[in-house]
Each structure stands twice: as structure tokens, then as C-alpha cells.
Amino acid sequence: MSRDSLVFGQIIGDVLPLFNPSVSLRVMYNNRQVFTGTDLKPSAVVNKPRVEIGGDDRRVFYTLVMVDPDAPNPSNPTLKEYLHWLVTDIPATTDVSFGQEMVCYESPQPHFGIHRMVFALFQQIGRQTVSAPPVRSRFNTKDFALHHNLGVPMAAAFFNCQREGGTGGRRLR
């Protein structure tokens, strides 16, 4: 995913600091790859996605965070960022199933508006203890990365999600 698409989708700024993607990150729901701004309904994201991580050294470990910065409503995101998934100790060149799930996957169920679902991948300094937050709401990806010395993201991806009966319009900000 290019940095420009993350800037255009306001992922950089709202959720992540400015960074240059340096590792491949591939997110797939039901064998459908998530591309910038892909529109997915809640029924398509019930089960956790397959997430593949690039890299060339299995001694390098990553942390994956999935958040909704638009909860509960993009016009009034009082619960932002809502944490949907947290996986740590993911070896490079594998998928997240080899990592440690710290917060289990919770499928997106937006009720109002179009929500951005953001995946952020951080490189760890070796294997490390990452504590799960006490609640999912009001998570802050930037603060989390700072607290755990994760630095800037190595990669990110996002898709748009809205309720089943929602129209297919673009997300406005």
C-alpha cells in the first residue's frame, strides 16, 4: 500500500504518523485482497482475515494492530480508536497465525456512516511483552507504539466498512 493512499484516506494524520512503508503487508478476507479504500460489508469480514507479512529474516518480529478511528460514528468518533485486533510476536515472512493474539479479533459492525478499518504493522525490538489494553474503546495507535518502543509503522492497509443496508458512496471527511 502506498503512502499516498494512506495520506489521501487520512490514515496518516488521524491514526498513524508520517512514515515510508518498508515491509509488504497483505490482508485478505475470504481470499479477496484488501486494497486502498476497498468497500467491504460486515458480512464479508465476520472471520479474521489472513494477513501475510513480508521481510526476509524470521528473527524479526512484528506487532499488528487493527483499529476503527470512526467509532461509533464518523461525524462524532467519541470511541476512536476502537481496537478490533492486536497480534504480537509475528515472525517476518509468515502470516499472523504464527503470532500471539493479545486481543482477539472482533468483526466490524458499523451502524452509522462509512468506517475506515486500519491495519498497522510495527517492527518489534526482539520478542517483547506487550500488554493488552483494559478496554477496546479509545485505543490510541500512536501512543501504543510509543509506549512499547515500536517506532513508526513498517506498513499499513485499510478498508471502508458500513452496515449491510448502507449505500456504496465514498467516505467524506
Side-chain angles (χ1 to χ4, degrees):
M1 182 147 306
S2 78
R3 184 174 75 173
D4 292 344
S5 62
L6 297 169
V7 170
F8 181 74
Q10 296 179 320
I11 304 307
I12 290 179
D14 286 356
V15 180
L16 303 173
L18 186 62
F19 74 100
N20 289 314
S22 57
V23 172
S24 65
L25 175 66
R26 189 172 167 193
V27 178
M28 292 168 290
Y29 282 97
N30 304 314
N31 295 319
R32 179 181 176 195
Q33 187 167 349
V34 173
F35 293 103
T36 302
T38 298
D39 293 322
L40 296 174
K41 298 289 186 185
S43 60
V45 296
V46 170
N47 298 314
K48 64 180 142 184
R50 178 173 173 84
V51 179
E52 298 172 348
I53 297 166
D56 55 10
D57 186 346
R58 296 192 92 170
R59 295 172 296 177
V60 174
F61 294 93
Y62 294 96
T63 292
L64 180 76
V65 173
M66 178 187 175
V67 296
D68 174 357
D70 302 313
N73 180 333
S75 300
N76 189 21
T78 57
L79 300 179
K80 77 172 183 181
E81 300 160 25
Y82 188 87
L83 180 63
H84 281 273
W85 200 22
L86 175 61
V87 184
T88 64
D89 294 330
I90 308 162
T93 74
T94 63
D95 64 63
V96 297
S97 65
F98 290 95
Q100 175 68 37
E101 192 173 59
M102 300 301 292
V103 175
C104 65
Y105 179 80
E106 183 179 306
S107 63
Q109 295 291 324
H111 297 288
F112 302 101
I114 299 171
H115 292 242
R116 298 165 294 165
M117 299 295 156
V118 180
F119 295 88
L121 184 71
F122 297 91
Q123 184 174 331
Q124 298 174 194
I125 302 170
R127 286 187 179 247
Q128 62 190 77
T129 302
V130 174
S131 56
V135 294
R136 292 178 184 256
S137 61
R138 295 182 186 90
F139 182 82
N140 185 297
T141 303
K142 292 176 194 170
D143 289 348
F144 174 81
L146 182 65
H147 179 75
H148 293 288
N149 296 318
L150 297 172
V152 296
M154 303 304 281
F158 79 99
F159 66 91
N160 295 317
C161 190
Q162 63 181 318
R163 65 184 174 81
E164 295 295 328
T167 60
R170 287 276 162 222
R171 182 183 183 287
L172 299 177
R173 193 83 184 154

